[in-house]
Amino acid sequence: MTIAELTEKVRANNPGVPVDAIQKAYDFSARVHRGQRRASGEPYLTHPLQVAAIIADLRLDVASVTTGLLHDTVEDTLATLEEVEVEFGAEVASLVDGVTKIGQIEFTSREEKQAENFRKMLLAMARDIRVILIKLADRTHNMRTLGHLKPQRQVEIAQETLDIYAPLAHRLGVYGLKSDLEDNALRFLHPEVYYQLKRSVAKKKAERERYTKEVVQVLSRRISEAGLEAEVSGRPKHFYSIYQKMQAQNLLYDQIYDLIAFRIVVDTLGECYEALGVVHANWKPVPGRFKDYIALPKANGYQSLHTTVIGPYGERIEIQIRTREMHRIAEYGIAAHWRYKTTGTDGKPDDSQRFAWLRQLLEWQQHLQDPQEFLRSVKEDLFTEEVFVFTPKGDLLNFPVGATVIDFAYRIHSEVGHHCAGARVHGRIVPLRYQLQSGDTVEIVTTANQTPSKDWLKLVKTSRAKARIRTWIKAQQSQRSVAVGREILERDLTRHQLDLGKLRKDGTLARVAQALGQKDEDTLLAGIGYGVVTGNQVLAHILPPEELERRREKGEGALQRFMRLVSRQSKSGVTVSGVDDVLVRFGKCCSPLPGERIAGFITRGRGVTVHAEDCPKVLETDPQRRVDVQWENGKGTPRAVQVEVTCADRPGLLAAMSKAISTTGVNIASATVRTLADRKAQNTFDVVVSSLDELNKVMRSLERIRGVVKVARVRT
């Protein structure tokens, strides 16, 4: 891509627009990036040029393409935002600022930095949707050239892309970028799967092209015979969508038949339904596979009729039917809606509905302070398939698939959610666990004595409901912990002839709270109740050290002293910051391994419980009880971890899997095998590993075996 080709592309998409700013931005970017090179060794300027080309392909305006050329100047060079504003104006400067990561701030963790950068991007995106489109173009080119980075960075960036950026592209309806991002993420997260798919697809390319041509001809003829004018085309599904289907249904590649999606594009909305009638009249539809996204559009504005039929030669084929305007929106997503005037932005009247999900995101980013909880909320709640249900008044609400009546109750009001005892769906009483179905009319039943419980967190799907339930539970826990903390501290003080009431009255306790970094006296008592603060720490700020040691030794036997010293030695392979004499145990739900990111939580009477950072139970625990934990150098104690392998049911595969595990130097503690339907088998291996690297080596070795469909670590 050259600057001349870029300006020509912009002129073709937007005839008559002045493109001087693009040449000026190119010259500016070339000057400030001079001497910089990418990890591939290429001049850095190739990156902003390619990003600008992707933006031009989305048919965005000149300001967006200009920003594509300038997007890294403030972050990666000595150029300032003020300089960009002077040279290119406030509009371009605002866009460049929106896509620039937060700098000059020290973050306590990678997750906090990731979350804060995402928060900033969301706020900029709310002001101008072009920010996220430019960011997606930037990420798309970075993913295409990811192979030049270190393997660990490849995996981290690919996972972030799959978790956040690809779903954002989906939400915005930019399906071309979504497919590109997902396929490249798959290439680095599961290279064996990606290249196996690539080989399988290439092997059947000629056969697939012949079949596509034949079906297109037959569809075109039948549509024409019905008196309709239509464009009919067929295209292969991208690798990641094939991989998702294999994972979801435990299928081998050879068992997937609808690898091609056919599209019928007509002139009017009425002709969409006429064309659907023609298709169903000629080929038998597959029950449950028809979706009307015209009557109920997706949140990103996507509209189309989807149906799956038994086509020629008995093969299942997926057909999408839409108008030309719907097709334009399906191709370019939000970029097709968004038009810019020289004075600012001008959206269509229905933009308020189109960006309802963005308003939800902004609401969450204001309320969720914990970076892990914020990112988890974004991943879980925003990027899921939806069901549409009605309130008793006939208002239409959308929820993620799997949402329950509790989610519905919290959407109405927090108090309705807190006291939700059940619901009536179409007039029929249903329990709290009832999952909402499209078309349901829901009326919530409340009782004064009903209150949330931790079990509700397993039932709800939306971040709004989870956040409200956690807030309520934490408030209750905090009250209980203050009472428990007061009781513990009174007992410890009594041993030293001290009175809690007097210490509060004369301000001593407030001074101790401040010295221990607690907000106030109640926070200190809650900390004692949780186990974050000990009675000895409080006493150390009240009594002189020598007096405290003399009193403790007086009441402590030699055996107790010996046990106290021994207990300080870490046997777990985990170090805990800021807490003495602590027992460490590992959560059975996730069985974290050395090399995994971990989180520690004070558990009264049981020391510190260590979980993997991505364990769902991490978010169920009050952040006040969190303590810093790190793996010590070297490997930890070997532990058994379950690995589940789904594969073809054929002779020799079990032996091949056992050999693949043993060649990595890992021992198999136990194994179970059971056959499934469709000539498949499911194998569960208990492998004894000392680190995450060892486990990953085992899983990669298993994935390479021909006939293996899916390898997954089992977490209870």
Side-chain angles (χ1 to χ4, degrees):
M1 174 62 63
T2 64
I3 186 61
E5 289 170 337
L6 177 62
T7 51
E8 190 56 43
K9 190 189 287 274
V10 173
R11 281 198 190 97
N13 292 334
N14 300 280
V17 298
V19 293
D20 299 347
I22 294 175
Q23 180 66 53
K24 185 180 177 183
Y26 175 79
D27 295 336
F28 182 90
S29 191
R31 176 166 57 82
V32 298
H33 283 299
R34 184 178 291 122
Q36 292 183 344
R37 294 197 171 269
R38 304 199 79 212
S40 61
E42 295 175 304
Y44 195 90
L45 190 61
T46 59
H47 172 62
L49 198 54
Q50 290 294 339
V51 170
I54 294 169
I55 294 166
D57 285 334
L58 291 174
R59 305 191 178 190
L60 290 179
D61 60 348
V62 169
S64 302
V65 178
T66 302
T67 304
L69 289 165
L70 300 171
H71 75 277
D72 277 339
T73 54
V74 174
E75 190 176 323
D76 294 335
T77 76
L78 297 175
T80 64
L81 201 59
E82 291 74 19
E83 198 176 342
V84 171
E85 185 169 354
V86 168
E87 293 286 334
F88 301 97
E91 183 184 15
V92 170
S94 176
L95 291 172
V96 170
D97 183 41
V99 296
T100 300
K101 290 177 185 172
I102 296 173
Q104 290 82 48
I105 298 177
E106 288 295 321
F107 293 102
T108 57
S109 68
R110 185 177 65 87
E111 286 73 20
E112 186 183 354
K113 185 174 183 180
Q114 185 188 32
E116 290 311 312
N117 278 318
F118 193 56
R119 284 182 205 268
K120 183 194 176 195
M121 188 175 68
L122 284 179
L123 292 169
M125 173 180 161
R127 292 193 298 269
D128 196 326
I129 203 70
R130 290 175 293 180
V131 167
I132 191 59
L133 293 170
I134 295 163
K135 189 68 183 173
L136 286 172
D138 176 35
R139 179 53 65 108
T140 298
H141 186 251
N142 280 334
M143 287 300 294
R144 290 173 183 173
T145 56
L146 195 59
H148 299 287
L149 299 185
K150 292 179 180 177
Q152 186 179 348
R153 283 295 291 151
Q154 289 174 356
V155 170
E156 286 174 0
I157 293 170
Q159 192 62 57
E160 183 186 55
T161 298
L162 205 55
D163 287 344
I164 293 175
Y165 290 98
L168 263 175
H170 173 78
R171 267 293 186 180
L172 295 168
V174 193
Y175 289 107
L177 295 191
K178 171 183 177 280
S179 301
D180 200 320
L181 291 168
E182 286 176 340
D183 282 355
N184 278 310
L186 180 65
R187 179 158 61 104
F188 292 101
L189 290 173
H190 302 287
E192 294 86 0
V193 174
Y194 175 84
Y195 288 109
Q196 189 174 332
L197 275 176
K198 194 172 182 180
R199 286 191 296 272
S200 300
V201 169
K203 196 183 296 181
K204 296 189 175 182
K205 186 179 179 183
E207 178 187 327
R208 190 174 63 250
E209 286 176 348
R210 278 196 305 274
Y211 183 76
T212 303
K213 187 177 179 182
E214 185 176 341
V215 172
V216 167
Q217 287 174 348
V218 174
L219 273 173
S220 299
R221 188 168 65 250
R222 299 289 164 82
I223 294 288
S224 180
E225 287 169 357
L228 297 172
E229 284 189 15
E231 293 174 18
V232 182
S233 60
R235 59 173 182 80
K237 292 186 177 179
H238 65 289
F239 291 161
Y240 188 74
S241 67
I242 298 171
Y243 168 72
Q244 277 185 306
K245 191 160 191 176
M246 289 170 64
Q247 292 288 97
Q249 299 178 23
N250 281 335
L251 297 174
L252 299 170
Y253 176 78
D254 293 339
Q255 294 173 302
I256 299 178
Y257 300 107
D258 51 342
L259 294 169
I260 306 162
F262 293 91
R263 188 175 296 138
I264 300 171
V265 181
V266 293
D267 291 322
T268 67
L269 188 147
E271 289 176 346
C272 289
Y273 291 96
E274 287 183 55
L276 177 68
V278 172
V279 170
H280 283 183
N282 285 279
W283 294 286
K284 191 173 183 178
V286 177
R289 295 300 303 273
F290 170 67
K291 290 190 176 75
D292 188 342
Y293 292 120
I294 293 178
L296 289 172
K298 290 189 177 183
N300 56 25
Y302 175 89
Q303 289 182 290
S304 194
L305 298 176
H306 286 201
T307 186
T308 301
V309 298
I310 307 299
Y313 308 110
E315 299 277 4
R316 284 188 178 199
I317 56 173
E318 183 185 304
I319 300 172
Q320 301 165 357
I321 306 168
R322 60 180 73 142
T323 65
R324 283 176 170 76
E325 175 63 13
M326 291 172 193
H327 182 58
R328 188 173 68 85
I329 293 166
E331 289 293 297
Y332 298 105
I334 203 66
H337 293 290
W338 211 251
R339 289 292 174 266
Y340 300 94
K341 294 180 179 178
T342 53
T343 54
T345 61
D346 178 34
K348 291 192 175 182
D350 62 346
D351 280 339
S352 61
Q353 286 300 315
R354 187 171 298 125
F355 295 116
W357 61 274
L358 179 53
R359 286 201 306 275
Q360 284 182 339
L361 261 185
L362 292 172
E363 182 189 336
W364 298 333
Q365 71 88 21
Q366 289 166 357
H367 288 97
L368 299 178
Q369 298 306 315
D370 180 29
Q372 287 183 46
E373 188 169 352
F374 171 63
L375 289 173
R376 181 74 66 92
S377 298
V378 168
K379 295 171 192 176
E380 282 184 355
D381 203 43
L382 180 60
F383 309 132
T384 54
E385 290 298 317
E386 294 174 311
V387 295
F388 295 87
V389 299
F390 296 93
T391 67
K393 293 181 180 179
D395 296 327
L396 186 65
L397 301 177
N398 62 314
F399 292 89
V401 170
T404 61
V405 295
I406 305 176
D407 291 288
F408 186 96
Y410 277 104
R411 176 74 71 88
I412 303 302
H413 195 277
S414 293
E415 285 303 309
V416 175
H418 288 339
H419 301 293
C420 174
R424 290 187 182 90
V425 174
H426 303 305
R428 180 174 58 89
I429 291 287
V430 297
L432 293 176
R433 74 176 75 88
Y434 176 82
Q435 294 189 355
L436 302 172
Q437 307 295 317
S438 283
D440 283 349
T441 297
V442 183
E443 181 185 357
I444 298 299
V445 176
T446 60
T447 59
N449 60 354
Q450 176 72 290
T451 55
S453 73
K454 273 192 173 183
D455 291 337
W456 283 21
L457 291 169
K458 297 172 185 174
L459 297 177
V460 295
K461 279 285 185 181
T462 59
S463 291
R464 181 192 185 97
K466 287 180 180 177
R468 300 295 186 274
I469 294 166
R470 287 193 187 108
T471 300
W472 192 91
I473 291 171
K474 286 169 189 174
Q476 300 302 306
Q477 288 178 337
S478 182
Q479 291 173 15
R480 285 198 298 271
S481 293
V482 168
V484 171
R486 183 182 292 108
E487 185 183 328
I488 292 171
L489 186 57
E490 281 179 340
R491 190 174 62 235
D492 288 347
L493 292 172
T494 301
R495 290 198 198 103
H496 297 273
Q497 294 80 49
L498 296 170
D499 181 73
L500 178 61
K502 287 182 181 177
L503 294 174
R504 295 193 80 156
K505 195 172 181 179
D506 64 16
T508 300
L509 198 63
R511 178 178 55 78
V512 172
Q514 188 176 9
L516 289 172
Q518 304 297 314
K519 188 172 68 174
D520 52 33
E521 294 172 25
D522 279 349
T523 309
L524 173 64
L525 292 174
I528 296 169
Y530 280 135
V532 177
V533 180
T534 64
N536 283 341
Q537 287 175 297
V538 174
L539 286 165
H541 285 80
I542 298 173
L543 295 171
E546 60 278 4
E547 175 65 14
L548 184 62
E549 185 64 27
R550 186 184 67 77
R551 293 188 185 195
R552 187 170 63 180
E553 286 184 355
K554 186 178 178 182
E556 184 179 56
L559 180 60
Q560 289 171 308
R561 214 164 25 248
F562 174 75
M563 290 303 293
R564 174 164 54 85
L565 292 170
V566 169
S567 67
R568 286 180 179 169
Q569 299 172 13
S570 172
K571 302 287 185 183
S572 60
V574 171
T575 56
V576 181
S577 304
V579 181
D580 294 328
D581 304 344
V582 69
L583 172 70
V584 171
R585 57 196 290 273
F586 295 98
K588 292 180 181 177
C589 48
C590 54
S591 298
L593 291 167
E596 278 186 284
R597 302 182 78 84
I598 51 175
F601 295 92
I602 296 287
T603 312
R604 192 164 55 249
R606 291 183 291 172
V608 171
T609 302
V610 176
H611 291 272
E613 241 179 24
D614 59 355
C615 175
K617 292 207 174 173
V618 167
L619 294 182
E620 294 175 17
T621 314
D622 194 327
Q624 282 184 283
R625 292 166 54 195
R626 191 173 296 175
V627 290
D628 289 332
V629 289
Q630 298 90 26
W631 294 106
E632 291 179 350
N633 294 331
K635 294 186 176 182
T637 307
R639 288 200 301 282
V641 176
Q642 278 197 342
V643 176
E644 191 174 82
V645 184
T646 307
C647 64
D649 183 14
R650 64 169 187 245
L653 259 185
L654 181 59
M657 288 186 285
S658 299
K659 185 178 178 183
I661 295 171
S662 63
T663 53
T664 63
V666 168
N667 188 42
I668 301 173
S670 66
T672 57
V673 181
R674 65 189 182 94
T675 56
L676 305 172
D678 300 329
R679 307 190 311 279
K680 288 193 292 294
Q682 194 170 70
N683 311 270
T684 305
F685 297 98
D686 285 345
V687 293
V688 181
V689 292
S690 301
S691 68
L692 184 63
D693 284 343
E694 276 191 7
L695 179 62
N696 287 337
K697 196 184 294 182
V698 169
M699 293 175 72
R700 282 195 298 269
S701 183
L702 289 166
E703 283 174 346
R704 292 191 192 101
I705 300 170
R706 187 174 179 79
V708 168
V709 178
K710 181 179 178 181
V711 180
R713 179 178 175 181
V714 179
R715 295 190 191 270
T716 56

